[in-house]
PDB file of all heavy atoms in Angstrom:
ATOM      1  N   ILE C 180       3.884   3.706 -14.162  1.00  0.00           N
ATOM      2  CA  ILE C 180       2.423   3.608 -14.387  1.00  0.00           C
ATOM      3  C   ILE C 180       2.055   4.299 -15.707  1.00  0.00           C
ATOM      4  O   ILE C 180       1.232   3.809 -16.480  1.00  0.00           O
ATOM      5  CB  ILE C 180       1.679   4.209 -13.174  1.00  0.00           C
ATOM      6  CG1 ILE C 180       1.726   3.187 -12.028  1.00  0.00           C
ATOM      7  CG2 ILE C 180       0.249   4.565 -13.516  1.00  0.00           C
ATOM      8  CD1 ILE C 180       1.201   3.687 -10.717  1.00  0.00           C
ATOM      9  N   LEU C 210       9.075   0.623 -12.076  1.00  0.00           N
ATOM     10  CA  LEU C 210       8.281   0.213 -10.906  1.00  0.00           C
ATOM     11  C   LEU C 210       9.179  -0.463  -9.874  1.00  0.00           C
ATOM     12  O   LEU C 210       9.089  -0.187  -8.665  1.00  0.00           O
ATOM     13  CB  LEU C 210       7.160  -0.749 -11.359  1.00  0.00           C
ATOM     14  CG  LEU C 210       5.977  -0.076 -12.094  1.00  0.00           C
ATOM     15  CD1 LEU C 210       5.012  -1.122 -12.624  1.00  0.00           C
ATOM     16  CD2 LEU C 210       5.244   0.874 -11.144  1.00  0.00           C
ATOM     17  N   MET C 245       4.567  -1.980   8.643  1.00  0.00           N
ATOM     18  CA  MET C 245       3.468  -2.004   7.664  1.00  0.00           C
ATOM     19  C   MET C 245       3.857  -1.366   6.342  1.00  0.00           C
ATOM     20  O   MET C 245       3.555  -1.898   5.280  1.00  0.00           O
ATOM     21  CB  MET C 245       2.255  -1.263   8.280  1.00  0.00           C
ATOM     22  CG  MET C 245       0.958  -1.645   7.606  1.00  0.00           C
ATOM     23  SD  MET C 245       0.811  -3.437   7.427  1.00  0.00           S
ATOM     24  CE  MET C 245       0.182  -3.560   5.775  1.00  0.00           C
ATOM     25  N   VAL C 281      22.722  -9.242   2.837  1.00  0.00           N
ATOM     26  CA  VAL C 281      24.020  -9.357   3.538  1.00  0.00           C
ATOM     27  C   VAL C 281      24.446  -7.992   4.084  1.00  0.00           C
ATOM     28  O   VAL C 281      24.699  -7.848   5.291  1.00  0.00           O
ATOM     29  CB  VAL C 281      25.074  -9.920   2.550  1.00  0.00           C
ATOM     30  CG1 VAL C 281      26.443  -9.924   3.217  1.00  0.00           C
ATOM     31  CG2 VAL C 281      24.679 -11.302   2.102  1.00  0.00           C
ATOM     32  N   LEU C 296      19.309   0.055  14.564  1.00  0.00           N
ATOM     33  CA  LEU C 296      19.641  -1.378  14.407  1.00  0.00           C
ATOM     34  C   LEU C 296      18.415  -2.117  13.859  1.00  0.00           C
ATOM     35  O   LEU C 296      18.501  -2.890  12.895  1.00  0.00           O
ATOM     36  CB  LEU C 296      20.040  -1.951  15.764  1.00  0.00           C
ATOM     37  CG  LEU C 296      20.493  -3.416  15.807  1.00  0.00           C
ATOM     38  CD1 LEU C 296      21.680  -3.571  16.758  1.00  0.00           C
ATOM     39  CD2 LEU C 296      19.378  -4.327  16.306  1.00  0.00           C
ATOM     40  N   TYR C 321      12.936 -21.379 -15.317  1.00  0.00           N
ATOM     41  CA  TYR C 321      13.510 -22.705 -15.612  1.00  0.00           C
ATOM     42  C   TYR C 321      12.420 -23.786 -15.643  1.00  0.00           C
ATOM     43  O   TYR C 321      12.699 -24.925 -15.998  1.00  0.00           O
ATOM     44  CB  TYR C 321      14.530 -23.082 -14.524  1.00  0.00           C
ATOM     45  CG  TYR C 321      15.945 -22.643 -14.857  1.00  0.00           C
ATOM     46  CD1 TYR C 321      16.449 -21.436 -14.370  1.00  0.00           C
ATOM     47  CD2 TYR C 321      16.757 -23.413 -15.687  1.00  0.00           C
ATOM     48  CE1 TYR C 321      17.724 -21.023 -14.689  1.00  0.00           C
ATOM     49  CE2 TYR C 321      18.046 -22.983 -16.010  1.00  0.00           C
ATOM     50  CZ  TYR C 321      18.513 -21.793 -15.507  1.00  0.00           C
ATOM     51  OH  TYR C 321      19.775 -21.381 -15.835  1.00  0.00           O
ATOM     52  N   LEU C 323      10.805 -25.000 -12.974  1.00  0.00           N
ATOM     53  CA  LEU C 323      10.680 -25.808 -11.746  1.00  0.00           C
ATOM     54  C   LEU C 323       9.504 -25.225 -10.953  1.00  0.00           C
ATOM     55  O   LEU C 323       9.658 -24.242 -10.226  1.00  0.00           O
ATOM     56  CB  LEU C 323      11.960 -25.681 -10.911  1.00  0.00           C
ATOM     57  CG  LEU C 323      13.247 -26.150 -11.582  1.00  0.00           C
ATOM     58  CD1 LEU C 323      14.453 -25.474 -10.930  1.00  0.00           C
ATOM     59  CD2 LEU C 323      13.350 -27.656 -11.407  1.00  0.00           C
ATOM     60  N   THR C 389      15.155 -14.169  14.764  1.00  0.00           N
ATOM     61  CA  THR C 389      16.338 -15.018  14.518  1.00  0.00           C
ATOM     62  C   THR C 389      15.893 -16.401  14.022  1.00  0.00           C
ATOM     63  O   THR C 389      16.676 -17.354  14.080  1.00  0.00           O
ATOM     64  CB  THR C 389      17.127 -15.205  15.821  1.00  0.00           C
ATOM     65  OG1 THR C 389      16.179 -15.599  16.838  1.00  0.00           O
ATOM     66  CG2 THR C 389      17.807 -13.927  16.251  1.00  0.00           C
ATOM     67  N   PHE C 444      19.489  -7.860  22.280  1.00  0.00           N
ATOM     68  CA  PHE C 444      18.735  -8.248  23.486  1.00  0.00           C
ATOM     69  C   PHE C 444      19.672  -8.320  24.690  1.00  0.00           C
ATOM     70  O   PHE C 444      19.410  -7.702  25.740  1.00  0.00           O
ATOM     71  CB  PHE C 444      18.052  -9.602  23.273  1.00  0.00           C
ATOM     72  CG  PHE C 444      17.258 -10.053  24.477  1.00  0.00           C
ATOM     73  CD1 PHE C 444      16.058  -9.426  24.792  1.00  0.00           C
ATOM     74  CD2 PHE C 444      17.730 -11.060  25.305  1.00  0.00           C
ATOM     75  CE1 PHE C 444      15.329  -9.815  25.915  1.00  0.00           C
ATOM     76  CE2 PHE C 444      17.012 -11.446  26.421  1.00  0.00           C
ATOM     77  CZ  PHE C 444      15.819 -10.836  26.730  1.00  0.00           C
ATOM     78  N   PHE C 609      25.138  22.907  -9.495  1.00  0.00           N
ATOM     79  CA  PHE C 609      24.438  23.201 -10.761  1.00  0.00           C
ATOM     80  C   PHE C 609      23.342  24.235 -10.502  1.00  0.00           C
ATOM     81  O   PHE C 609      23.190  25.215 -11.247  1.00  0.00           O
ATOM     82  CB  PHE C 609      23.848  21.900 -11.291  1.00  0.00           C
ATOM     83  CG  PHE C 609      23.290  22.030 -12.680  1.00  0.00           C
ATOM     84  CD1 PHE C 609      24.057  22.565 -13.709  1.00  0.00           C
ATOM     85  CD2 PHE C 609      21.978  21.659 -12.939  1.00  0.00           C
ATOM     86  CE1 PHE C 609      23.518  22.712 -14.994  1.00  0.00           C
ATOM     87  CE2 PHE C 609      21.454  21.803 -14.217  1.00  0.00           C
ATOM     88  CZ  PHE C 609      22.216  22.337 -15.236  1.00  0.00           C
TER      89      PHE C 609
END
Side-chain angles (χ1 to χ4, degrees):
Chain C
I180 283 172
L210 285 174
M245 201 47 223
V281 175
L296 183 140
Y321 269 95
L323 300 157
T389 49
F444 180 73
F609 189 52

